[in-house]
Amino acid sequence: MKIFAAALLTTTAALPAMAQDWKEDYRILRIGVTSAENESDRMARWEPWRDYLAETLGVEVEIYTAGSYDGIVQALAAGQIEFASLGSSAYAAAWTETEGGVRPILASQEQDGSTGYYSVIAVRCDAGHDSLDDLEGKVLAFADPDSTSGYAVPNYNLVQQGYDPASFFRATPFSGSHEAGVQGVVNGQFDAAATYINNEVNGIPQRMVAKGMIGEGEICWIWQSPEITNGPVTVRSNLPDELVEAVKQAYLRAPEDAPEAFQSINGAELSTAKGFVEVDHDRYQWIVEMRDWLKSQRRS
């Protein structure tokens, strides 16, 4: 019994050291952030989160940005970043690009318990566009080819509802980001833009009002998609389990341990986020299938 107890004590004492081994190989962790907003605002919003992760994980953390969603997808595929905050479609793109070499671990949850958001088509409130029918022959801006709410979901659902973007609208350019699309509508560059809202008080248009980029009452939305599962925190599948678990726990504890940093990445004072819930690939398989459908439509 004494021999067994001594062996158990030795094994238990070794566990913390084994759990820390990943830090020897990953002295810097890089998190990719997609381009939903302008670069300066994006970095300012994520800097408190970077500081929180660095302190909690005990390693240096860098924020990796790119000019397009695909830049983040390619960085994951090339092993240039360890994990990323992705939209559902960008996750599906990364999963397809890496042939299953990435996996989702967490998705954000709202105060009401929901774990989804909505694509909307935004127009100027004073433009006289009350429904999709009013946009026939007009210009609709999509955000980015790998954006869930800014391209994949509205494109797919509009076709199902009889509004094929390729023939219904005069043009469907990509604005490059959600904010650029909405700003283009306000400025008269586009008649409408696809973007997203979490709910009636939080989303891209509401954040832009809060930041003084557009005026209150300038933007309305005339179409809303079914609920989209919140995009996941995505990690490379070849990372050590101990590293992934450490990252997961840091995210899960953030609402209590670092509430200001947590709310910052979710829209600061407009945030209605509650925390994170664990997710797996099955929750996003329909997004993979939707992207395959969109690709087949483009080929045909």
Side-chain angles (χ1 to χ4, degrees):
M1 179 66 72
K2 290 182 179 180
I3 295 176
F4 175 77
L8 180 61
L9 181 61
T10 301
T11 302
T12 304
L15 287 177
M18 293 173 60
Q20 299 299 314
D21 285 349
W22 66 266
K23 295 184 182 181
E24 296 299 319
D25 297 321
Y26 296 89
R27 297 180 183 274
I28 300 176
L29 292 180
R30 298 152 297 182
I31 175 173
V33 180
T34 52
S35 55
E37 58 193 332
N38 66 81
E39 181 72 8
S40 61
D41 286 348
R42 182 176 15 163
M43 292 304 295
R45 193 157 62 87
W46 281 84
E47 189 62 22
W49 188 254
R50 186 199 68 79
D51 293 341
Y52 163 68
L53 289 180
E55 181 179 355
T56 302
L57 298 172
V59 296
E60 186 176 346
V61 175
E62 295 179 351
I63 301 297
Y64 180 94
T65 63
S68 68
Y69 285 52
D70 189 58
I72 302 297
V73 170
Q74 294 303 321
L76 274 171
Q80 296 174 340
I81 57 178
E82 283 66 53
F83 57 111
S85 178
L86 299 178
S88 299
S89 185
Y91 162 73
W95 187 85
T96 301
E97 178 74 18
T98 62
E99 298 181 342
V102 298
R103 62 188 178 96
I105 57 173
L106 298 167
S108 61
Q109 183 180 44
E110 300 297 312
Q111 291 289 345
D112 62 4
S114 64
T115 56
Y117 63 110
Y118 304 89
S119 172
V120 296
I121 292 181
V123 299
R124 282 191 63 100
C125 296
D126 61 4
H129 304 315
D130 299 319
S131 69
L132 285 176
D133 292 330
D134 296 328
L135 292 178
E136 185 172 8
K138 305 293 185 180
V139 177
L140 168 68
F142 289 119
D144 183 285
D146 285 320
S147 171
T148 311
S149 58
Y151 175 64
V153 165
N155 195 0
Y156 177 76
N157 280 278
L158 288 176
V159 170
Q160 306 310 308
Q161 295 171 16
Y163 300 93
D164 185 353
S167 57
F168 184 75
F169 301 104
R170 175 162 58 88
T172 52
F174 289 107
S175 65
S177 73
H178 287 266
E179 285 189 347
V182 173
Q183 192 70 63
V185 171
V186 172
N187 295 342
Q189 182 181 358
F190 313 123
D191 297 294
T195 186
Y196 74 84
I197 61 169
N198 300 95
N199 46 49
E200 290 299 318
V201 299
N202 189 20
I204 289 294
Q206 299 98 318
R207 292 180 195 174
M208 292 178 72
V209 170
K211 290 190 289 187
M213 298 177 65
I214 62 176
E216 183 79 43
E218 284 191 301
I219 286 293
C220 297
W221 41 93
I222 59 173
W223 177 88
Q224 181 170 308
S225 75
E227 186 181 59
I228 308 164
T229 302
N230 286 338
V233 178
T234 302
V235 300
R236 299 200 327 253
S237 298
N238 60 357
L239 295 179
D241 290 341
E242 294 83 5
L243 187 163
V244 174
E245 184 62 23
V247 170
K248 181 187 293 184
Q249 292 304 317
Y251 272 73
L252 290 172
R253 293 197 304 267
E256 291 187 4
D257 292 355
E260 291 184 3
F262 171 72
Q263 295 301 345
S264 179
I265 63 170
N266 287 287
E269 68 276 5
L270 294 180
S271 174
T272 55
K274 175 182 179 181
F276 296 95
V277 294
E278 296 190 38
V279 293
D280 58 22
H281 175 78
D282 289 346
R283 190 158 183 175
Y284 300 94
Q285 179 58 35
W286 76 273
I287 301 289
V288 174
E289 295 169 359
M290 180 182 66
R291 286 180 58 88
D292 289 342
W293 179 87
L294 290 170
K295 287 181 181 179
S296 70
Q297 293 301 302
R298 288 196 291 268
R299 286 195 295 267
S300 64

